[in-house]
């Protein structure tokens, strides 16, 4: 310290910032919301904590909260809507997968005549060839989800992509397999001639 500078100035202590209404709600209600989701809809999928986080994100994206009288109620309804949307989406995906199986492999049948076994093997070979021609990431995501039963989120995480990208990869893979099987049914002898 020099004489010209004078004594060091003391900094005024920073006033603690008051948490916003949203922060207070998050701290007090997040665990309760996740527990309520778990009690009402089960442990997932979708994961109750992820749903609670997404519900709070919706509230944050909304901006001005002044016109919402019951913030907890708003977040609960947002969480419920997220879950219902996910469950509808999963039901559609399961229905589509079941439709592909019924369409190309027939209704459940316990008759294993030679023609049926031969056709099933041809279809399986065609599916394997179609999968082998896909990019590695697409094939891996598809296999993790459809064969190994991982959720779309888990398959995407394992392959380093978002849920949206994983859905896109699975949809493209499913479309390519469906097209290959449809072409094989339209031209039954074409593969044997190759």
């Amino acid at each position: 310290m020099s004489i010209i500078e004078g004594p060091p100035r003391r900094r005024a202590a920073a006033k603690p910032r008051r948490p916003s209404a949203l922060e207070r709600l998050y701290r007090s209600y997040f665990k309760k919301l996740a527990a309520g989701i778990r009690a009402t809809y089960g442990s997932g999928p979708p994961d109750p904590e992820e749903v609670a986080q997404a519900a709070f994100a919706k509230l944050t994206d909304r901006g001005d909260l002044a016109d919402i009288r019951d913030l907890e109620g708003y977040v609960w309804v947002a969480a419920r809507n997220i879950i219902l949307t996910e469950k509808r989406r999963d039901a559609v995906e399961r229905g589509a997968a079941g439709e592909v199986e019924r369409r190309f492999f027939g209704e459940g049948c316990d008759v294993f005549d030679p023609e049926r076994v031969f056709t099933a093997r041809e279809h399986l070979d065609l599916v394997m060839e179609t999968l082998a021609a896909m990019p590695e990431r697409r094939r891996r995501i598809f296999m993790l989800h459809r064969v190994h039963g991982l959720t779309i989120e888990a398959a995407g995480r394992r392959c380093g992509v978002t849920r949206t990208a994983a859905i896109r990869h699975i949809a493209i893979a499913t479309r390519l397999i469906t097209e290959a099987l449809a072409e094989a049914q339209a031209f039954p002898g074409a593969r044997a001639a190759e």
Side-chain angles (χ1 to χ4, degrees):
M1 168 179 90
S2 72
I3 299 176
I4 299 173
E5 291 176 8
R9 293 183 191 175
R10 292 182 126 198
R11 287 190 176 173
K15 292 182 181 179
R17 184 177 67 82
R18 290 190 62 205
S20 69
L22 184 60
E23 289 173 303
R24 288 191 305 274
L25 176 67
Y26 184 85
R27 288 182 185 146
S28 68
Y29 190 59
F30 180 84
K31 288 181 182 177
K32 183 178 175 183
L33 176 63
I37 292 168
R38 185 173 284 106
T40 306
Y41 298 101
S43 293
D47 181 62
E49 282 78 18
E50 288 180 9
V51 171
Q53 190 69 37
F56 273 99
K58 277 186 178 276
L59 188 61
T60 302
D61 292 344
R62 193 172 188 286
D64 184 25
L65 308 178
D67 61 330
I68 301 174
R69 284 185 287 180
D70 180 10
L71 289 174
E72 287 183 8
Y74 182 93
V75 175
W76 174 257
V77 170
R80 185 198 64 201
N81 290 341
I82 291 166
I83 290 170
L84 294 177
T85 300
E86 283 293 316
K87 291 200 179 282
R88 269 188 234 112
R89 185 180 297 133
D90 288 347
V92 167
E93 286 177 3
R94 280 192 309 277
E99 178 60 28
V100 168
E101 286 179 22
R102 281 188 299 281
R103 187 171 185 195
F104 293 104
F105 300 112
E107 295 296 324
C109 180
D110 293 334
V111 177
F112 293 105
D113 62 57
E115 181 182 355
R116 189 168 174 83
V117 171
F118 178 76
T119 302
R121 283 189 179 152
E122 273 193 335
H123 287 168
L124 180 60
D125 288 345
L126 184 57
V127 168
M128 297 307 289
E129 287 173 17
T130 305
L131 284 169
M134 291 179 193
E136 172 65 26
R137 180 177 281 169
R138 178 169 298 143
R139 177 176 53 251
R140 187 158 184 250
I141 291 170
F142 179 84
M143 296 293 287
L144 287 170
H145 177 62
R146 296 283 192 199
V147 177
H148 299 287
L150 269 64
T151 64
I152 293 172
E153 294 83 3
R157 244 182 276 128
R158 282 219 185 151
C159 296
V161 299
T162 64
R163 179 184 193 285
T164 304
I167 289 171
R168 185 175 43 81
H169 281 296
I170 292 167
I172 292 170
T174 303
R175 181 181 50 82
L176 291 172
I177 291 169
T178 302
E179 287 172 356
L181 290 171
E183 186 177 321
Q185 280 195 333
F187 306 105
R191 283 186 48 96
E194 291 176 1

Coordinates of all heavy atoms in Angstrom, one line a residue, residues 119-153:
T119 N -39.7 -70.2 -45.0 CA -40.1 -68.8 -45.2 C -39.6 -67.9 -44.0 O -39.1 -66.8 -44.2 CB -41.6 -68.6 -45.3 OG1 -42.1 -69.4 -46.4 CG2 -42.0 -67.2 -45.5
A120 N -39.8 -68.4 -42.8 CA -39.3 -67.7 -41.6 C -37.8 -67.5 -41.7 O -37.3 -66.4 -41.3 CB -39.7 -68.4 -40.3
R121 N -37.1 -68.5 -42.1 CA -35.6 -68.4 -42.2 C -35.2 -67.4 -43.3 O -34.3 -66.7 -43.1 CB -35.0 -69.8 -42.5 CG -34.9 -70.7 -41.3 CD -34.1 -71.9 -41.6 NE -34.1 -72.7 -40.3 CZ -33.9 -74.0 -40.3 NH1 -33.8 -74.7 -41.5 NH2 -33.9 -74.7 -39.2
E122 N -35.9 -67.4 -44.4 CA -35.6 -66.5 -45.4 C -35.9 -65.0 -44.9 O -35.1 -64.1 -45.2 CB -36.5 -66.7 -46.7 CG -36.0 -67.7 -47.6 CD -36.7 -67.6 -48.9 OE1 -37.9 -67.2 -49.0 OE2 -36.1 -68.0 -50.0
H123 N -37.0 -64.9 -44.2 CA -37.3 -63.5 -43.6 C -36.2 -63.1 -42.6 O -35.7 -62.0 -42.6 CB -38.6 -63.5 -43.0 CG -39.8 -63.5 -44.0 ND1 -41.1 -63.7 -43.6 CD2 -39.8 -63.3 -45.3 CE1 -41.8 -63.7 -44.7 NE2 -41.1 -63.4 -45.7
L124 N -35.8 -64.0 -41.8 CA -34.7 -63.7 -40.8 C -33.4 -63.4 -41.5 O -32.8 -62.4 -41.1 CB -34.5 -64.9 -39.9 CG -33.5 -64.7 -38.8 CD1 -33.8 -63.5 -37.9 CD2 -33.3 -65.9 -37.9
D125 N -33.1 -64.1 -42.6 CA -31.8 -63.8 -43.3 C -31.9 -62.4 -43.9 O -31.0 -61.6 -43.9 CB -31.6 -64.8 -44.4 CG -31.2 -66.2 -43.9 OD1 -30.8 -66.3 -42.7 OD2 -31.3 -67.2 -44.7
L126 N -33.1 -62.1 -44.5 CA -33.3 -60.8 -45.1 C -33.2 -59.7 -44.0 O -32.6 -58.6 -44.3 CB -34.7 -60.7 -45.8 CG -35.0 -59.5 -46.5 CD1 -34.0 -59.2 -47.6 CD2 -36.4 -59.6 -47.2
V127 N -33.8 -59.9 -42.9 CA -33.7 -58.9 -41.8 C -32.2 -58.7 -41.4 O -31.7 -57.6 -41.2 CB -34.5 -59.3 -40.6 CG1 -34.2 -58.4 -39.3 CG2 -36.0 -59.2 -40.9
M128 N -31.5 -59.8 -41.3 CA -30.1 -59.7 -40.9 C -29.2 -59.0 -41.9 O -28.4 -58.2 -41.6 CB -29.5 -61.1 -40.6 CG -30.2 -61.8 -39.4 SD -30.2 -60.8 -37.9 CE -28.5 -60.9 -37.5
E129 N -29.5 -59.3 -43.2 CA -28.8 -58.6 -44.3 C -29.1 -57.1 -44.3 O -28.2 -56.2 -44.5 CB -29.2 -59.2 -45.6 CG -28.6 -60.5 -45.9 CD -29.2 -61.1 -47.2 OE1 -29.8 -60.4 -48.0 OE2 -29.1 -62.3 -47.4
T130 N -30.4 -56.8 -44.0 CA -30.8 -55.3 -44.0 C -30.1 -54.6 -42.8 O -29.6 -53.5 -43.0 CB -32.3 -55.2 -43.9 OG1 -32.9 -56.0 -45.0 CG2 -32.8 -53.8 -43.9
L131 N -30.1 -55.3 -41.7 CA -29.4 -54.7 -40.5 C -27.9 -54.5 -40.8 O -27.3 -53.5 -40.4 CB -29.6 -55.6 -39.3 CG -31.0 -55.5 -38.6 CD1 -31.1 -56.7 -37.6 CD2 -31.2 -54.2 -38.0
A132 N -27.3 -55.5 -41.4 CA -25.8 -55.5 -41.7 C -25.5 -54.3 -42.6 O -24.4 -53.7 -42.5 CB -25.4 -56.8 -42.3
A133 N -26.4 -53.9 -43.5 CA -26.2 -52.8 -44.4 C -26.4 -51.4 -43.8 O -26.0 -50.4 -44.4 CB -27.1 -53.0 -45.6
M134 N -26.9 -51.4 -42.6 CA -27.2 -50.1 -41.9 C -25.9 -49.6 -41.3 O -25.0 -50.3 -41.0 CB -28.2 -50.3 -40.8 CG -29.6 -50.6 -41.3 SD -30.7 -50.8 -39.9 CE -32.1 -51.5 -40.7
P135 N -25.8 -48.3 -41.1 CA -24.7 -47.7 -40.3 C -24.7 -48.3 -38.9 O -25.7 -48.7 -38.3 CB -25.1 -46.2 -40.2 CG -26.0 -46.0 -41.3 CD -26.8 -47.2 -41.5
E136 N -23.5 -48.5 -38.3 CA -23.3 -49.2 -37.0 C -24.2 -48.6 -35.9 O -24.8 -49.3 -35.2 CB -21.8 -49.1 -36.6 CG -21.5 -49.6 -35.2 CD -21.8 -51.1 -35.0 OE1 -21.7 -51.8 -36.0 OE2 -22.1 -51.5 -33.9
R137 N -24.2 -47.3 -35.8 CA -25.0 -46.7 -34.7 C -26.5 -47.0 -34.9 O -27.2 -47.3 -33.9 CB -24.8 -45.2 -34.7 CG -25.6 -44.5 -33.6 CD -25.3 -43.0 -33.6 NE -24.0 -42.8 -32.9 CZ -23.4 -41.6 -32.8 NH1 -23.9 -40.6 -33.4 NH2 -22.3 -41.5 -32.2
R138 N -27.0 -46.9 -36.1 CA -28.5 -47.2 -36.3 C -28.8 -48.7 -36.0 O -29.7 -48.9 -35.3 CB -28.8 -46.9 -37.7 CG -30.3 -47.3 -38.1 CD -30.7 -46.7 -39.4 NE -30.6 -45.3 -39.4 CZ -30.2 -44.5 -40.4 NH1 -29.9 -45.1 -41.6 NH2 -30.1 -43.2 -40.3
R139 N -27.9 -49.6 -36.4 CA -28.1 -51.0 -36.2 C -28.0 -51.3 -34.7 O -28.9 -52.0 -34.1 CB -27.0 -51.8 -36.9 CG -27.1 -53.3 -36.6 CD -26.1 -54.1 -37.4 NE -24.7 -53.7 -37.3 CZ -24.0 -53.1 -38.2 NH1 -24.6 -52.9 -39.4 NH2 -22.8 -52.7 -38.0
R140 N -27.1 -50.7 -34.0 CA -26.9 -50.9 -32.6 C -28.1 -50.4 -31.8 O -28.6 -51.0 -30.9 CB -25.6 -50.2 -32.1 CG -25.3 -50.6 -30.7 CD -23.8 -50.4 -30.4 NE -23.5 -50.8 -29.0 CZ -23.2 -50.0 -28.0 NH1 -23.1 -48.7 -28.3 NH2 -23.0 -50.4 -26.8
I141 N -28.6 -49.1 -32.1 CA -29.7 -48.6 -31.4 C -30.9 -49.5 -31.6 O -31.7 -49.8 -30.7 CB -30.0 -47.1 -31.8 CG1 -28.9 -46.2 -31.3 CG2 -31.3 -46.6 -31.3 CD1 -28.9 -44.8 -31.9
F142 N -31.2 -49.9 -32.8 CA -32.3 -50.7 -33.2 C -32.2 -52.0 -32.4 O -33.2 -52.5 -31.8 CB -32.3 -51.0 -34.7 CG -33.5 -51.9 -35.1 CD1 -34.7 -51.3 -35.3 CD2 -33.3 -53.2 -35.2 CE1 -35.8 -52.2 -35.7 CE2 -34.3 -54.1 -35.6 CZ -35.6 -53.5 -35.9
M143 N -31.1 -52.7 -32.4 CA -30.9 -54.0 -31.7 C -31.1 -53.8 -30.2 O -31.7 -54.6 -29.5 CB -29.6 -54.6 -32.0 CG -29.4 -54.9 -33.5 SD -30.4 -56.3 -34.0 CE -29.7 -57.7 -33.2
L144 N -30.5 -52.8 -29.6 CA -30.7 -52.5 -28.2 C -32.1 -52.3 -27.8 O -32.6 -52.9 -26.7 CB -29.8 -51.3 -27.7 CG -28.3 -51.5 -27.7 CD1 -27.6 -50.2 -27.5 CD2 -27.9 -52.5 -26.6
H145 N -32.9 -51.6 -28.6 CA -34.3 -51.4 -28.3 C -35.2 -52.5 -28.6 O -35.9 -53.0 -27.8 CB -34.7 -50.1 -29.0 CG -36.2 -49.8 -28.8 ND1 -36.7 -49.5 -27.5 CD2 -37.2 -49.7 -29.6 CE1 -38.0 -49.3 -27.6 NE2 -38.3 -49.4 -28.9
R146 N -35.1 -53.0 -29.9 CA -36.1 -54.0 -30.3 C -35.7 -55.5 -29.9 O -36.6 -56.3 -29.6 CB -36.2 -54.0 -31.8 CG -36.8 -52.7 -32.4 CD -38.2 -52.7 -32.2 NE -38.8 -51.6 -33.0 CZ -39.9 -51.1 -32.8 NH1 -40.7 -51.5 -31.8 NH2 -40.4 -50.1 -33.5
V147 N -34.4 -55.8 -29.8 CA -34.0 -57.1 -29.5 C -33.8 -57.3 -28.0 O -34.2 -58.2 -27.4 CB -32.8 -57.6 -30.3 CG1 -32.4 -59.0 -29.9 CG2 -33.2 -57.5 -31.8
H148 N -33.0 -56.4 -27.4 CA -32.6 -56.5 -26.0 C -33.6 -55.8 -25.1 O -33.4 -55.9 -23.8 CB -31.2 -55.9 -25.8 CG -30.2 -56.7 -26.7 ND1 -29.8 -58.0 -26.4 CD2 -29.5 -56.4 -27.8 CE1 -28.9 -58.4 -27.3 NE2 -28.7 -57.4 -28.2
G149 N -34.5 -55.1 -25.6 CA -35.6 -54.5 -24.8 C -35.3 -53.3 -24.0 O -36.0 -52.9 -23.1
L150 N -34.2 -52.6 -24.3 CA -33.9 -51.3 -23.7 C -34.9 -50.3 -24.1 O -35.4 -50.3 -25.2 CB -32.5 -50.8 -24.0 CG -31.3 -51.3 -23.1 CD1 -31.2 -52.8 -23.1 CD2 -30.1 -50.6 -23.5
T151 N -35.1 -49.3 -23.2 CA -36.0 -48.2 -23.6 C -35.2 -47.4 -24.7 O -34.0 -47.5 -24.8 CB -36.2 -47.2 -22.4 OG1 -35.0 -46.7 -22.0 CG2 -36.9 -48.0 -21.3
I152 N -36.0 -46.6 -25.4 CA -35.4 -45.7 -26.4 C -34.3 -44.8 -25.8 O -33.2 -44.7 -26.4 CB -36.5 -44.9 -27.1 CG1 -37.4 -45.8 -27.9 CG2 -35.8 -43.8 -28.0 CD1 -38.6 -45.1 -28.5
E153 N -34.6 -44.2 -24.6 CA -33.7 -43.4 -24.0 C -32.4 -44.1 -23.6 O -31.3 -43.6 -23.8 CB -34.3 -42.8 -22.7 CG -35.4 -41.8 -22.9 CD -36.8 -42.6 -23.1 OE1 -36.9 -43.8 -23.0 OE2 -37.8 -41.9 -23.3

